[in-house]
């Protein structure tokens, strides 16, 4: 069983940057796909970005492509999301998620394939 804890959220002006981090503990980290999702109250949670266990392959939602970068450090059991050029539409609770340790190089955008979730961190972008 792996536990995930996000940090780095906050309030930022449009055009600014934030870096979210997710620390994993309690289980194998390196073999898992890691993803970031976000949710606005009243809306379904949506995929943001994902990274393979090796870090070699990443994918992004079209809405964040070119602005957000996902990365991971398997030695430190962390995954990060660098968010640049933030927009008010990025305001949401951001969640870190992990799959089982499949050592897969096939990325998943579906949240039901991520059984482990953090508690979320609020990101608010003011106009």
């Amino acid at each position: 069983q792996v536990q995930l804890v996000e940090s780095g959220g906050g309030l930022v002006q449009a055009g600014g940057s934030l870096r979210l981090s997710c620390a994993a503990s309690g289980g194998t980290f390196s073999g898992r796909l890691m993803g970031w999702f976000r949710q606005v109250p009243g809306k379904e949670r949506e995929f943001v970005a994902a990274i393979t266990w090796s870090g070699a392959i990443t994918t992004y939602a079209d809405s964040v492509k070119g602005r957000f970068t996902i990365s991971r450090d398997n030695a430190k059991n962390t995954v990060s999301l660098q968010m640049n050029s933030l927009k008010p539409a990025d305001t949401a609770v951001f969640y870190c998620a992990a799959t089982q340790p499949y050592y897969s190089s096939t990325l998943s955008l579906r949240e039901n394939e991520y059984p482990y979730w953090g508690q979320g961190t609020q990101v608010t972008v003011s106009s």
Side-chain angles (χ1 to χ4, degrees), residues 41-63:
K43 294 188 176 181
E44 291 188 355
R45 192 155 49 187
E46 66 173 3
F47 170 79
V48 175
I51 188 167
T52 54
W53 71 273
S54 66
I57 304 172
T58 59
T59 191
Y60 300 90
D62 287 343
S63 59

Side-chain angles (χ1 to χ4, degrees), residues 19-33:
R19 185 176 181 87
L20 305 183
S21 293
C22 173
S25 61
T28 302
F29 176 77
S30 61
R32 303 177 191 269
L33 301 182

Side-chain angles (χ1 to χ4, degrees), residues 2 4 9 17-19 29-30 36 39-40 43-44 47 59 61 63 74-75 82 92-93 104 107 116 118-119 123:
V2 64
L4 305 173
S17 299
L18 281 174
R19 185 176 181 87
F29 176 77
S30 61
W36 286 95
Q39 188 171 27
V40 175
K43 294 188 176 181
E44 291 188 355
F47 170 79
T59 191
S63 59
N74 287 340
Q82 177 66 42
V93 177
S104 173
L107 288 165
Y116 303 104
Q119 83 288 350
V123 171

Side-chain angles (χ1 to χ4, degrees), residues 34-37 47-51 59-61 64 68-70 81 114:
M34 298 297 297
W36 286 95
F37 293 77
F47 170 79
V48 175
I51 188 167
T59 191
Y60 300 90
V64 307
F68 291 11
T69 302
I70 188 172
L81 186 68
Y114 293 82

Side-chain angles (χ1 to χ4, degrees), residues 72-99:
R72 67 189 295 162
D73 186 336
N74 287 340
K76 297 182 178 179
N77 290 356
T78 59
V79 61
S80 299
L81 186 68
Q82 177 66 42
M83 305 186 296
N84 298 329
S85 302
L86 283 161
K87 306 174 182 179
D90 295 316
T91 295
V93 177
F94 281 72
Y95 297 90
C96 170
T99 67

